[in-house]
Amino acid sequence: GEVRAVYERGVARCKTSVELWRSYIDFARANMLREDATAVFEAAISAVGMDFASHVIWGDYLSFIRSAKVEEHEKRQALRSVYDRLFRMPVNNIDALWREYEAFENSGPNKDLARGKIKENNAKYVEVRAEVRGRKNRREGISFSVLACPPRGQPRENDQVQR
């Protein structure tokens, strides 16, 4: 009802806020039907899935799918679909998510399929991991907790401008 409408207005106005989407997801998981909560996850992934800090949303989505009370093959297909999209996104913590993915594939009944899927996704993972490292290097030393303003000639400010 009303709370959902507030969240809908919020994410419509602040589409790129990972924190707002996480809050909406928490609300959806606790108060909505599974299908509606899935739609909120999908909307969040669509809006902020490429954000460096969105790894928490991806991880929450994977956990949400794992907790579904559906047949195992449906769950595996849904997880595989999310992982396939995830490995196109330069998000923080990608190495841990990759290890989790490998464990997921290797835990399945079909080892040949697991090897094939891991090999198929490995190229995407290697590429996105390189982008993540580049982003980390570019972000290093930048203070994100201060308001943006023109530099006043302070050495620390000049260093940040150069980055």
Side-chain angles (χ1 to χ4, degrees):
E2 219 173 293
V3 174
R4 184 176 183 176
V6 170
Y7 274 117
E8 288 291 334
R9 284 195 312 272
V11 296
R13 286 181 175 77
C14 301
K15 288 179 174 64
T16 60
S17 172
V18 172
E19 294 81 15
L20 180 57
W21 278 108
R22 285 192 69 201
S23 180
Y24 188 15
I25 286 167
D26 289 343
F27 170 79
R29 288 179 83 165
N31 300 289
M32 293 182 187
L33 296 174
R34 188 160 196 88
E35 296 78 28
D36 294 334
T38 299
V40 172
F41 270 110
E42 286 294 332
I45 293 299
S46 179
V48 296
M50 283 193 71
D51 190 288
F52 193 67
S54 70
H55 63 286
V56 291
I57 291 176
W58 287 100
D60 287 349
Y61 195 12
L62 292 164
S63 295
F64 177 73
I65 293 169
R66 279 189 209 97
S67 71
K69 296 187 181 2
V70 297
E71 291 197 32
E72 191 62 27
H73 75 278
E74 287 180 55
K75 194 180 294 190
R76 291 189 72 76
Q77 282 181 313
L79 286 166
R80 195 169 279 129
S81 171
V82 172
Y83 278 121
D84 285 346
R85 290 183 287 160
L86 170 60
F87 295 122
R88 294 186 182 103
M89 305 296 172
V91 299
N92 196 18
N93 213 22
I94 197 71
D95 293 324
L97 291 163
W98 176 257
R99 287 188 300 274
E100 185 182 295
Y101 169 70
E102 284 182 310
F104 158 73
E105 286 293 0
N106 287 321
S107 71
N110 188 335
K111 300 303 178 195
D112 290 332
L113 175 64
R115 279 190 294 277
K117 292 301 287 181
I118 290 170
K119 184 177 179 182
E120 178 184 313
N121 280 316
N122 189 60
K124 291 187 272 185
Y125 162 65
V126 168
E127 188 176 317
V128 82
R129 185 179 64 185
E131 176 59 27
V132 166
R133 286 185 178 153
R135 284 186 182 197
K136 281 183 179 179
N137 289 339
R138 289 189 296 275
R139 295 169 61 103
E140 190 175 307
I142 295 177
S143 178
F144 291 97
S145 62
V146 296
L147 293 173
C149 62
R152 293 177 290 241
Q154 303 288 328
R156 184 169 166 233
E157 293 173 335
N158 290 335
D159 288 345
Q160 185 156 332
V161 170
Q162 297 304 314
R163 294 186 184 276

